[in-house]
Amino acid sequence: MTRVTTRVLDVATTVPTTPLDPGTVVDGAPEAGSRALAAVSGVEVGVWEMTPGTATDVEVDEVFVVLSGSGTVSFDDDGEEVALRPGSVVRLRAGERTTWVVHETIRKIYVA
C-alpha cells in the first residue's frame, strides 16, 4: 500500500509563468508565476518564480526565502537594495514600490 503524505510540500514542480504587464517591465521580457502550496491560519504559502529581466511592482505583506536564482530587489521609497540568492530571507510590506532585477530565474517560497 502506497501512502500519500501531505506533510512534505512540493517546491520542485514547474511553476507556470506568463509575461508581466508591459507597463511594469523596465528591461527584457520577464515572466512570473506562482503556485499555492498550503493555507495556514488564513495565510498562503506558495512558490513564486520570475525569469530574467527587470520589472516594477507594488508589494503585499510577505516574507520569502529564495530557493534558487540571483538578482536584486530595490525599494523605491528609501533606495535600499537587497541581493537575492539562495537562502536570502526578505520582508516585504504592503504598498512598498519595488524594482526587481533578475539575472538568473528566481524561485522563492513566500508566506503572504
Side-chain angles (χ1 to χ4, degrees), residues 3 14 18 39 57-58 60 78-79 89 100 104 106:
R3 188 169 183 193
T14 301
T18 58
D57 199 8
V58 177
V60 298
D78 65 11
V89 180
W100 293 74
E104 178 186 359
I106 295 280

Side-chain angles (χ1 to χ4, degrees), residues 2-19:
T2 302
R3 188 169 183 193
V4 177
T5 181
T6 56
R7 296 180 196 284
V8 177
L9 302 177
D10 178 8
V11 298
T13 299
T14 301
V15 173
T17 60
T18 58

Side-chain angles (χ1 to χ4, degrees), residues 37-74:
L37 297 173
V40 179
S41 298
V43 175
E44 184 174 282
V45 178
V47 178
W48 178 89
E49 276 191 6
M50 181 175 160
T51 63
T54 303
T56 61
D57 199 8
V58 177
E59 301 302 336
V60 298
D61 281 325
E62 176 183 322
V63 173
F64 68 84
V65 179
V66 176
L67 297 175
S68 62
S70 67
T72 59
V73 60
S74 299

Side-chain angles (χ1 to χ4, degrees), residues 66-92:
V66 176
L67 297 175
S68 62
S70 67
T72 59
V73 60
S74 299
F75 295 84
D76 300 345
D77 295 331
D78 65 11
E80 183 178 0
E81 183 175 287
V82 176
L84 302 174
R85 60 187 172 279
S88 298
V89 180
V90 180
R91 168 78 161 96
L92 303 173

